Amino acid sequence: MKLLKNRAVAVLLAVLVVAGSTFLNTRIKLSEKCRRVEDGFYTSDSGSKSIYARLDSRLDAANGLWTILLDHDAEAAAELNKARSALLKAYDARDIPDMYDANYVLQKAFDDASSALSGVTLSASEADALHDYVITFAGAQRMIDESDYNDGVLTFMRSTYQRFPASFLAPLAGVKAPELFN
């Protein structure tokens, strides 16, 4: 009890309590704000699908193309499946930078697979399905490109995360910034 009456101990204890509550408050409140910004990647607004949902559409279209390709070019089908699996792995892991990279690789594999079918005689149903897959795949990418998710992340970073005191406290409190899709 006598120790707590010592002025230096009391000041040190007060500093520790204030610092601890500041870090805890930063961790809770700033983490929540970061999570809300990053949720924009995963959740759809009314009238607009999220990037995550658009990647799902691209995976579906790639899977459809793969099923057509199996009967006509096994090597191209294998490459497309490999690229599709990489995006699916990143998609399931909810790793935004890996999803971006895998989406880029899938684009090339999808284009190569579509080109492999350009000289092949397809049945009418296969040709119609191929057309639908290409339209869906391209449309989903266009919507991803037009998404305002990255703008929202950059705005949040400039207005909150990179401003003092958050810029100083966030790393100390272990708060990770929301990730860009690029």
Side-chain angles (χ1 to χ4, degrees):
M1 199 63 167
K2 198 175 197 180
L3 184 64
L4 293 176
K5 291 184 180 182
N6 183 321
R7 192 178 299 248
V9 171
V11 168
L12 180 61
L13 195 56
V15 167
L16 289 174
V17 167
V18 168
S21 65
T22 300
F23 289 125
L24 183 61
N25 188 42
T26 299
R27 181 159 182 87
I28 291 169
K29 289 187 176 180
L30 192 57
S31 290
E32 176 62 22
K33 288 180 182 179
C34 290
R35 186 195 58 73
R36 270 189 263 126
V37 169
E38 208 165 83
D39 278 352
F41 181 86
Y42 296 103
T43 57
S44 299
D45 296 333
S46 59
S48 174
K49 287 187 178 180
S50 67
I51 292 175
Y52 193 70
R54 298 294 181 181
L55 290 173
D56 191 43
S57 296
R58 286 174 62 87
L59 283 167
D60 288 345
N63 190 47
L65 177 59
W66 175 77
T67 61
I68 295 171
L69 204 54
L70 277 174
D71 294 334
H72 302 284
D73 189 333
E75 186 178 319
E79 286 302 310
L80 179 60
N81 191 49
K82 187 170 126 182
R84 197 181 84 54
S85 294
L87 179 54
L88 189 58
K89 180 179 177 187
Y91 184 85
D92 288 343
R94 298 176 71 95
D95 187 310
I96 293 173
D98 284 354
M99 281 186 262
Y100 178 82
D101 294 339
N103 186 47
Y104 178 79
V105 171
L106 182 61
Q107 180 68 54
K108 181 176 179 346
F110 191 92
D111 291 344
D112 291 347
S114 297
S115 294
L117 289 175
S118 65
V120 174
T121 303
L122 300 173
S123 70
S125 64
E126 286 177 326
D128 289 344
L130 173 61
H131 179 263
D132 290 345
Y133 297 142
V134 169
I135 296 296
T136 299
F137 195 81
Q141 184 59 46
R142 187 179 68 256
M143 297 308 289
I144 288 170
D145 293 341
E146 293 172 2
S147 168
D148 62 355
Y149 169 73
N150 283 340
D151 292 338
V153 171
L154 293 174
T155 298
F156 171 76
M157 294 296 290
R158 282 187 227 113
S159 69
T160 304
Y161 195 86
Q162 294 173 337
R163 296 188 116 183
F164 186 80
S167 62
F168 174 74
L169 294 173
L172 296 174
V175 177
K176 226 176 87 178
E179 296 182 291
L180 291 165
F181 185 71
N182 66 6

